[in-house]
Amino acid sequence: MSTPQHMEIGKISLPFSEAFRIALEDIRRRFVRMVITAASVILAVGFMDALLVLAAVGTIVGGQAASLKPFQLWILFISLLVCVVGIMNSMLIAVAERTREIGTWKCLGALDRHVLLLFLIEAMLIGFAGGIVGWVIGLITAFVYGLQPTIGISEILQALLTPGSIAVPGFSALPSIIAMLVLSMLIAISLSLIGTLYPAYRAAKLNPAEALRYEV
Amino acid sequence: MRYEYTVETEDLAKYYTMGPAIVKALDGIDLRVRRGEYLSVMGPSGSGKTTLFNMIGGLDRPTRGKVYIDEVDIAKLDAYELAWLRCRKIGYIFQTFNLIPVLTAIENVMLPMIFAGVPREQRIKKATELLERVGLGDRLYHKPGELSGGQQQRVAIARALANDPAIILADEPTANLDMKTGLEIIGVMRELNQEKGVTVITATHDLKMIDVSDRIVYLRDGKVERIETRREIAIETEEI
């Protein structure tokens, strides 16, 4: 049988606004899971910020630019790595849990990139929230540390409000506390995206027939 | 344009390898489904009903043979075209309803229309109409978790019809429902089949489905065992 291509193939689209709304709804519904996922971002960013504040205090007190010591950088690197692994783990579970749902999405017309987009938006939102909360936790930690007699609260405040006491490239004109917020958000969103990339890719590549057959 | 056959399969086969064994889920199915027909595919579990459903629905690639939807060989479509086909030409109904749990009934029905690029106002209007049509006019903003099985299946039917597909594929749509609700769902599907002229293909082992089907295909071990048309069934029943 010859097969003339009668069918007029039209467009398939998922506007960003709709994807964003659905991702937000997903986060709301799976709130506890998302908080746990975000917790690893919060801890990593909080730890980083606390270290940065203490380095900034060193700059103020010592009068010359102090930065993180090599062993601090090393611990920081490890903590960020652990954070990525933690996010990847929870996202893999989230994908497994939602396998059938992803199969349904594909039946309704979703392209691979739409599935990818949904997961990446969720990751960005988690990173965003995690960055802010992590920043707050980092500041609190630094102030608690500042309660000991060797450093004072005033030195910490001064360090936070002085531009350039923490070297964040491109943001040295801002007071350190703001520069740190920017840095925290960037790091948090990147960590979250890096951790989600592979799980999201797996979700996007699922074969719909197998996904629908999947039993949780 | 209208075609006489909405779905055609030619020597359709799907083999799975399970360890050393080859399982022939489908083994040479030739089937022609007329436009507007209500076709039931019956057979015991493991007879290949779901595999056939997946092949016709463009959800999986066959090992051998062809599937034509509106005379287009779907093996020749790329991923984008397949997604479009699933979105616009085919409506799916599942045994487990498969609504998106975080979305309300109306949002679930609107989802295929979002992919199809239907403007928002029109989406809301159409989804409301469809949900009213399946008797859920007062449940528009309920989430699947707040609906009974029968209600969820009605939402699924409305969702399947969202983009005016040529075919509704239903895989055991009544298997998770009680007798009475199952009958209601079958009734709704038959009514919509006649109203909208949409071709319905259901995989089932629900005998209630026989009464409404134009034709019944019996599958056994991945092959068509026999095909009965409505008239033959009527005669058989009279003889009994």
Side-chain angles (χ1 to χ4, degrees), chain A residues 3 6-13 18 21 25-26 29 104 106-109 111 207-209 212, chain B residues 3 59-60 68-69 71 76-77 80 83-87 92 94 98 102 107 114-115 123 143 159:
Chain A
T3 55
H6 291 300
M7 217 180 276
E8 193 127 332
I9 302 289
K11 265 181 76 81
I12 289 282
S13 63
E18 296 291 343
R21 219 175 43 76
E25 202 56 46
D26 255 320
R29 204 183 122 99
T104 310
K106 293 199 159 184
C107 284
L108 301 181
L111 294 166
N207 167 307
L212 288 170
Chain B
Y3 317 99
L59 301 177
D60 210 351
Y68 299 95
I69 306 280
E71 298 188 4
K76 294 203 175 111
L77 302 179
Y80 190 97
W84 183 87
L85 182 93
R86 293 182 200 132
C87 178
Y92 302 85
F94 305 95
N98 289 18
V102 301
E107 287 171 331
I114 293 179
F115 287 121
R123 283 204 303 263
K143 295 213 167 152
R159 183 178 67 181

Side-chain angles (χ1 to χ4, degrees), chain B:
Chain B
M1 226 189 294
R2 296 179 74 83
Y3 317 99
E4 193 183 355
Y5 298 109
T6 322
V7 177
E8 275 187 83
T9 70
E10 243 176 49
D11 189 31
L12 186 66
K14 177 74 176 179
Y15 299 164
Y16 295 101
T17 38
M18 287 190 170
I22 292 177
V23 179
K24 296 182 175 178
L26 287 181
D27 196 11
I29 303 276
D30 291 288
L31 202 60
R32 289 178 153 194
V33 186
R34 275 188 303 279
R35 178 164 297 280
E37 196 173 10
Y38 193 118
L39 183 88
S40 288
V41 180
M42 293 226 165
S45 31
S47 59
K49 297 191 297 290
T50 300
T51 311
L52 182 63
F53 173 94
N54 289 339
M55 295 299 145
I56 295 176
L59 301 177
D60 210 351
R61 303 261 181 201
T63 310
R64 187 183 78 224
K66 305 246 181 222
V67 176
Y68 299 95
I69 306 280
D70 279 353
E71 298 188 4
V72 170
D73 178 359
I74 64 172
K76 294 203 175 111
L77 302 179
D78 62 23
Y80 190 97
E81 292 167 330
L82 261 182
W84 183 87
L85 182 93
R86 293 182 200 132
C87 178
R88 301 298 298 271
K89 286 278 176 180
I90 304 172
Y92 302 85
I93 299 173
F94 305 95
Q95 177 180 347
T96 46
F97 323 132
N98 289 18
L99 301 177
I100 306 297
V102 301
L103 301 180
T104 60
I106 190 166
E107 287 171 331
N108 263 287
V109 180
M110 288 196 296
L111 201 52
M113 293 190 260
I114 293 179
F115 287 121
V118 178
R120 187 174 166 78
E121 302 300 312
Q122 226 172 304
R123 283 204 303 263
I124 295 173
K125 187 164 167 280
K126 180 91 180 268
T128 311
E129 278 170 16
L130 281 169
L131 282 169
E132 277 166 359
R133 175 62 192 83
V134 297
L136 290 177
D138 54 343
R139 294 278 190 279
L140 298 182
Y141 303 103
H142 289 238
K143 295 213 167 152
E146 300 155 6
L147 298 171
S148 71
Q151 287 170 333
Q152 288 189 48
Q153 199 59 302
R154 284 164 189 268
V155 177
I157 292 174
R159 183 178 67 181
L161 287 164
N163 286 328
D164 295 312
I167 311 154
I168 296 257
L169 278 177
D171 189 10
E172 308 257 3
T174 57
N176 276 10
L177 301 172
D178 61 61
M179 178 91 178
K180 181 169 158 290
T181 319
L183 261 177
E184 284 168 17
I185 291 297
I186 292 170
V188 172
M189 281 173 42
R190 179 58 170 174
E191 278 165 38
L192 290 166
N193 159 249
Q194 287 174 334
E195 250 170 58
K196 297 184 184 275
V198 57
T199 310
V200 176
I201 302 175
T202 81
T204 185
H205 40 224
D206 187 343
L207 295 174
K208 299 193 284 295
M209 209 64 104
I210 291 181
D211 296 334
V212 300
S213 306
D214 295 321
R215 248 186 336 154
I216 298 158
V217 175
Y218 291 88
L219 284 189
R220 181 168 287 274
D221 300 327
K223 292 192 167 112
V224 176
E225 192 179 42
R226 63 178 196 279
I227 298 181
E228 285 179 351
T229 61
R230 201 174 173 73
R231 196 172 305 138
E232 289 169 31
I233 300 161
I235 292 167
E236 262 178 40
T237 324
E238 275 167 32
E239 281 172 357
I240 296 164

Side-chain angles (χ1 to χ4, degrees), chain A residues 116-137:
Chain A
L116 198 68
L117 181 69
L118 279 174
F119 277 95
L120 293 185
I121 293 175
E122 277 181 37
M124 273 174 60
L125 290 171
I126 290 171
F128 185 85
I132 294 180
V133 179
W135 174 72
V136 172
I137 301 239

Side-chain angles (χ1 to χ4, degrees), chain A:
Chain A
M1 183 175 139
S2 68
T3 55
Q5 189 90 19
H6 291 300
M7 217 180 276
E8 193 127 332
I9 302 289
K11 265 181 76 81
I12 289 282
S13 63
L14 178 62
F16 187 82
S17 57
E18 296 291 343
F20 188 84
R21 219 175 43 76
I22 292 164
L24 209 60
E25 202 56 46
D26 255 320
I27 289 184
R28 254 189 32 177
R29 204 183 122 99
R30 300 177 169 92
F31 191 69
V32 175
R33 155 71 50 77
M34 295 301 172
V35 168
I36 293 170
T37 311
S40 70
V41 181
I42 293 170
L43 292 175
V45 168
F47 179 61
M48 177 187 79
D49 285 351
L51 286 181
L52 286 176
V53 173
L54 295 177
V57 171
T59 308
I60 297 295
V61 175
Q64 59 186 30
S67 62
L68 296 182
K69 298 177 184 71
F71 83 92
Q72 286 179 323
L73 274 175
W74 177 239
I75 296 174
L76 184 59
F77 174 73
I78 298 285
S79 81
L80 297 185
L81 204 66
V82 169
C83 162
V84 168
V85 173
I87 290 172
M88 197 178 289
N89 187 34
S90 0
M91 282 301 190
L92 280 173
I93 295 170
V95 168
E97 251 181 20
R98 286 160 69 179
T99 300
R100 273 240 291 265
E101 193 183 319
I102 295 161
T104 310
W105 277 95
K106 293 199 159 184
C107 284
L108 301 181
L111 294 166
D112 291 4
R113 63 164 188 263
H114 296 148
V115 177
L116 198 68
L117 181 69
L118 279 174
F119 277 95
L120 293 185
I121 293 175
E122 277 181 37
M124 273 174 60
L125 290 171
I126 290 171
F128 185 85
I132 294 180
V133 179
W135 174 72
V136 172
I137 301 239
L139 291 180
I140 293 173
T141 313
F143 277 110
V144 169
Y145 194 75
L147 290 178
Q148 23 179 19
T150 44
I151 334 172
I153 297 281
S154 60
E155 275 82 5
I156 288 181
L157 274 176
Q158 199 192 344
L160 285 175
L161 297 175
T162 313
S165 61
I166 301 169
V168 182
F171 295 99
S172 49
L174 296 169
S176 291
I177 189 166
I178 304 298
M180 214 166 72
L181 176 62
V182 175
L183 182 70
S184 304
M185 304 287 283
L186 286 178
I187 296 263
I189 291 175
S190 316
L191 291 177
S192 190
L193 281 178
I194 293 168
T196 308
L197 224 46
Y198 170 66
Y201 174 81
R202 266 193 36 169
K205 283 286 166 206
L206 280 173
N207 167 307
E210 278 166 33
L212 288 170
R213 218 175 16 237
Y214 187 84
E215 304 270 339
V216 178

